[in-house]
Amino acid sequence: MLSVSDKEKTRESEKVVIAPRDLTREEHGAIICYPGTDLASFPSRVSQLGSLGIECLILEGDSKVGKYGIVGRGCVSTVVKARLSSEKEPVALKIRRVDANRSDMEHDYELQKYANSFDVGPRAIAASKDLFAMEYIDSIKLGRWFQLLKTRSSKKFLRALIRDTLEQCYLLDIHGLDHGELSNPAKHVLIRNHCKPAKTVIIDYESASRNRKTSNLTSVAQFFLLGGWQSAKVRKILRMQPEEDYSVSKRREELVAALREYKERLNRRSFEELLALVRC
Ligand SMILES: Nc1ncnc2c1ncn2[C@@H]1O[C@H](COP(=O)(O)OP(=O)(O)O)[C@@H](O)[C@H]1O
Ligand SMILES: [Mg+2]
């Protein structure tokens, strides 16, 4: 069995740091032009890396493209760690997939900058047609965290986590920015590592809109408190009701009513009332 330090060495040895000029179509085409079947835009993308000020890509992470580790992958992009000349810390670099149903990263960048204006989302740094550099969040995804969550876990941490996430949803709601993918926030809410009380970050504004009716808070509250297996864990930890009774319980009805009230009023008071009801 590997000791912790051996594991770390193995992980360390898997990390590949590479400057844009050293990228080749054969070796890195599938990362830069994911999924790698059409490499026509490779030279343009390498040149965009240069214009954006990317000094090197740091290929490491739990997701894989071939033998290389990356930070993550979505429907629109692959995400890698990178060094940007203007930044002290490594950044997260979204690289548009060649098969994405979006023609550029502009929308994602602009709406994330708007979210940043009221302190929501990773700090957006710079974008080009196919690239978007932002603050890298050292974190675990909400979905993975819930998989690991034990029903004897810390009530205090969970409360702070729910409160912090709902607070950001409230800010998105009152500023008229509908995220669009929060009905399943498992992949789009990141929980910062080594933070107590809990701090979360809502990522990925590519499906967001300022022209839709917002449903950020109601979607996430539904996920935390009313739907699915994860909400059963939440209710147990927060001791909100014996599970058997919950679906017909008064508390559930109260919660649904408070959410309706919040949706109608969309003000701080209805938000605070909701938090009080769920003891967060
Ligand atoms: N700023 C970031 N810091 C750390 N990890 C990130 C960051 N942005 C994205 N990721 C990771 O990359 C994955 C894909 O990113 P996402 O923005 O959802 O891409 P897409 O727009 O293609 O759906 C996320 O689920 C997350 O794991
Ligand atoms: Mg996504």
Side-chain angles (χ1 to χ4, degrees), residues 140-235:
I140 175 169
K141 281 185 215 165
L142 183 65
R144 177 77 187 126
W145 184 83
F146 263 119
Q147 283 173 347
L148 302 172
L149 180 67
K150 306 240 172 15
T151 47
R152 293 184 311 280
S153 303
S154 157
K155 205 194 295 187
K156 216 168 150 190
F157 189 85
L158 180 64
R159 274 191 184 140
L161 185 144
I162 295 177
R163 189 186 172 97
D164 191 46
T165 311
L166 293 184
E167 178 80 41
Q168 292 167 62
C169 291
Y170 168 69
L171 288 170
L172 288 169
D173 282 345
I174 59 168
H175 288 91
L177 181 59
D178 188 46
H179 182 282
E181 289 189 87
L182 290 180
S183 54
N184 185 358
K187 289 183 184 166
H188 294 126
V189 174
L190 303 183
I191 305 171
R192 285 189 189 270
N193 287 332
H194 321 297
C195 268
K196 260 188 184 170
K199 290 297 292 169
T200 62
V201 183
I202 298 175
I203 60 164
D204 192 5
Y205 295 81
E206 64 91 13
S207 303
S209 168
R210 296 178 72 171
N211 304 319
R212 281 196 303 259
K213 194 167 161 46
T214 58
S215 61
N216 302 297
L217 184 133
T218 47
S219 300
V220 173
Q222 168 88 22
F223 174 86
F224 276 136
L225 300 155
L226 293 170
W229 57 271
Q230 71 290 332
S231 71
K233 280 188 181 176
V234 168
R235 294 195 300 266

Side-chain angles (χ1 to χ4, degrees), residues 63 71-79 91-95 97 105 108 112 122 134-139 141 181 186-188 190 201 203-207:
S63 299
V71 174
R73 185 168 45 221
C75 303
V76 173
S77 55
T78 51
V79 182
V91 298
L93 180 70
K94 280 183 92 159
I95 307 176
R97 291 172 58 146
M105 299 304 281
D108 199 347
Q112 191 163 314
M134 70 183 81
E135 173 192 5
Y136 170 76
I137 312 292
D138 177 19
S139 56
K141 281 185 215 165
E181 289 189 87
K187 289 183 184 166
H188 294 126
L190 303 183
V201 183
I203 60 164
D204 192 5
Y205 295 81
E206 64 91 13
S207 303

